[in-house]
Amino acid sequence: MEPKMNSKQENIWDLNSKWWFENVENGNFPEYSEIIVPLSSKLFLERERILDVGTGSGILARNIANNSPTHVIGLDLSLEQLLNAVAQDRDGIYIQSDSCKLPFGSNTFDGVVASMVLEHVESLQDAVSEISRVLQPNGLFLTILNHPIFQCPGSGLVEDYEVGINNPQWGVGDYLTESSGIEEISEGIRIPFEHRTISTYINTFVQHGFRIKRVLEPKIMGRESDILGGNIPRLLVIISEMTAFEII
Ligand SMILES: C[S@@+](CC[C@H](N)C(=O)[O-])C[C@H]1O[C@@H](n2cnc3c(N)ncnc32)[C@H](O)[C@@H]1O
């Protein structure tokens, strides 16, 4: 990864919002239509007030709200991302703010979703602390991450295999070293990325009062899946619930 730069000063998600919008909304990431949208819509069916942290173009906020009488607020740091969200969802509620300083009172929501967001947020502690504060006891927290092992810096398809001689492999990079930097995920698309281990995520959730209910590692989809036969995950999904008492 390249050295770190401050994502807020550089408005990096503003610069990349067109690319994100076109890919997510045109269905170029099959994980959205197959896993992320249906799972989040189903999980929050019975909930009343949901916060979509780092909503991006609002794909989850919109779909969760469409599937139930739930009230959903989409929050993002990037104005450009939010303008795309509003253009898709004129009746939706979208707020520009930082996930590390949420502009809501304590116990406001009974559900929070953070999809492909926490790996871009500089302070996991601050974000999780804020999410735990605004969630009611027994509130549900759905976290979807690029899988920290299979998507860590240096991981990826090992290209130099020979068809019929050896099988395509997925190499795992520098998993145990936590790092921050900028990754070029597509030509010219440079995204701030915080690499953390799975134990850091789970221990931070537990430290802030979350009880882990389920962890999912769905099979990789798309081009890599066609090559690899789908035997590794791209996503890590953590479903947790706020405990009814404060741990720290
Ligand atoms: C990869 S996109 C995911 C968008 C959406 N959750 C989805 O799944 O389609 C990450 C989003 O997180 C937002 N983001 C990054 N850091 C943030 C922060 N500290 N506070 C709020 N939003 C943030 C970015 O602006 C971007 O829109």
Side-chain angles (χ1 to χ4, degrees), residues 13 20 32 54-56 59 75-78 81 97-99 115-117 120-121:
W13 280 101
W20 182 257
Y32 274 87
T55 192
I59 189 168
L75 175 142
D76 205 287
L77 208 49
S78 158
Q81 292 277 67
S97 186
D98 189 343
S99 62
S115 159
M116 317 293 258
V117 174
H120 306 294
V121 171

Side-chain angles (χ1 to χ4, degrees), residues 216-245:
L216 309 173
E217 295 175 289
K219 277 184 180 178
I220 199 164
M221 299 176 147
R223 174 184 170 262
E224 290 95 346
S225 162
D226 297 341
I227 298 171
L228 288 165
N231 61 348
I232 61 159
R234 184 198 300 282
L235 303 178
L236 178 69
V237 178
I238 305 172
I239 303 167
S240 59
E241 200 171 59
M242 194 59 205
T243 46
F245 55 89

Side-chain angles (χ1 to χ4, degrees), residues 37-50:
V37 169
L39 178 66
S40 53
S41 298
K42 188 174 163 197
L43 269 182
F44 293 117
L45 263 182
E46 307 286 315
R47 307 276 163 162
E48 288 175 7
R49 283 187 302 280
I50 310 298

